[in-house]
Amino acid sequence: MINANFRKLVLGRAVGNAGDSIYMIAMNWFILQLTNSALWIGIMNVATVLPGVLLFLFGDSIDRHSKRRLLVAVEFSQLVIVVILIGLVALHIKLPGIYVGLVFVAALFGSLAYPIQDTLVPLLVEPDQLVQAQADMSIAYKGTDYVFNALSGFLISLCSVLGVLIMDAATFVVTVATFRRIKLAEPCQQHTREKSLYLNQILVSKLSALIRCCVY
């Protein structure tokens, strides 16, 4: 692979994606067992998908801060939430709203990892290596999703939801440790636009895209 730092990014992303896939499927299964309700499964899936819609709110903050530190922070935050989920499941807490809320926050942190990594890749590789780097990252994104989405059901039946969540916590420990080992001197960013202007421009672009979709 391209260089040692980029290898750490790809490895961390692959392990992190495995963790994402495992706990999302495990929590859907758990909510189904807890409530026996299709409505709650729908709410859980909304909580999983909705954070992706909110990412435009964080673009300016990502630009202003160290990408490596942000990446470590969002993965560590997911680890903390998974540990809380382990405690709740172990204590047999039967309040589905708490689980949905925690999954929403975890999904938000997980979604933030993707734009952070996309901005980090050009800092780790040479310009003529970007195409290959993006291909490697795509394999890390999609490959682990496919594999662990397929394996999660088997793992749940073998280890129970609690056992799978413990395995999941271990994947986030590995991810955090791997991302912390990335060595990078990030350039200082000079920002001339106000945050409000940035958000307004993003909102306008989102609305324009929505209008085009409705028209065509």
Side-chain angles (χ1 to χ4, degrees), residues 176-196:
V176 170
T178 303
F179 286 153
R180 282 179 59 86
R181 294 176 58 208
I182 295 175
K183 297 178 181 179
L184 175 66
E186 297 187 52
C188 295
Q189 298 289 335
Q190 297 296 325
H191 296 271
T192 58
R193 295 180 301 174
E194 295 294 330
K195 185 174 182 179
S196 59

Side-chain angles (χ1 to χ4, degrees), residues 126-182:
E126 298 298 327
D128 60 347
Q129 298 174 321
L130 278 175
V131 174
Q132 181 60 50
Q134 292 296 345
D136 292 340
M137 289 299 293
S138 180
I139 293 172
Y141 289 152
K142 300 298 183 183
T144 50
D145 277 347
Y146 295 147
V147 171
F148 282 91
N149 282 343
L151 287 178
S152 292
F154 172 74
L155 292 173
I156 292 170
S157 65
L158 187 66
C159 305
S160 79
V161 170
L162 183 60
V164 168
L165 287 175
I166 293 172
M167 292 171 54
D168 189 42
T171 66
F172 285 116
V173 171
V174 173
T175 302
V176 170
T178 303
F179 286 153
R180 282 179 59 86
R181 294 176 58 208
I182 295 175

Side-chain angles (χ1 to χ4, degrees), residues 11-215:
L11 175 61
R13 183 65 270 147
V15 177
N17 262 39
D20 289 343
S21 298
I22 290 172
Y23 87 77
M24 290 299 181
I25 291 179
M27 291 312 300
N28 272 289
W29 178 267
F30 178 75
I31 287 294
L32 179 61
Q33 295 295 105
L34 181 64
T35 66
N36 196 30
S37 168
L39 175 61
W40 274 109
I41 292 296
I43 294 172
M44 176 66 79
N45 281 290
V46 170
T48 302
V49 175
L50 184 60
V53 181
L54 304 176
L55 288 182
F56 72 93
L57 296 172
F58 301 94
D60 188 60
S61 296
I62 291 172
D63 284 342
R64 290 176 182 272
H65 297 90
S66 165
K67 313 301 183 295
R68 187 186 71 85
R69 290 179 182 176
L70 284 175
L71 196 53
V72 171
V74 297
E75 297 296 335
F76 181 76
S77 298
Q78 284 185 279
L79 170 61
V80 171
I81 292 171
V82 171
V83 170
I84 294 172
L85 289 171
I86 290 171
L88 293 174
V89 173
L91 292 172
H92 304 289
I93 303 300
K94 298 183 178 181
L95 297 173
I98 294 178
Y99 295 105
V100 170
L102 287 170
V103 167
F104 171 80
V105 177
L108 180 60
F109 285 123
S111 298
L112 284 171
Y114 294 100
I116 295 171
Q117 288 162 175
D118 288 341
T119 59
L120 194 57
V121 169
L123 303 178
L124 296 176
V125 304
E126 298 298 327
D128 60 347
Q129 298 174 321
L130 278 175
V131 174
Q132 181 60 50
Q134 292 296 345
D136 292 340
M137 289 299 293
S138 180
I139 293 172
Y141 289 152
K142 300 298 183 183
T144 50
D145 277 347
Y146 295 147
V147 171
F148 282 91
N149 282 343
L151 287 178
S152 292
F154 172 74
L155 292 173
I156 292 170
S157 65
L158 187 66
C159 305
S160 79
V161 170
L162 183 60
V164 168
L165 287 175
I166 293 172
M167 292 171 54
D168 189 42
T171 66
F172 285 116
V173 171
V174 173
T175 302
V176 170
T178 303
F179 286 153
R180 282 179 59 86
R181 294 176 58 208
I182 295 175
K183 297 178 181 179
L184 175 66
E186 297 187 52
C188 295
Q189 298 289 335
Q190 297 296 325
H191 296 271
T192 58
R193 295 180 301 174
E194 295 294 330
K195 185 174 182 179
S196 59
L197 177 60
Y198 170 85
L199 294 176
N200 287 337
Q201 290 174 338
I202 295 296
L203 285 170
V204 169
S205 67
K206 293 280 185 181
L207 289 173
S208 298
L210 180 61
I211 291 171
R212 286 196 297 270
C213 289
C214 292
V215 170

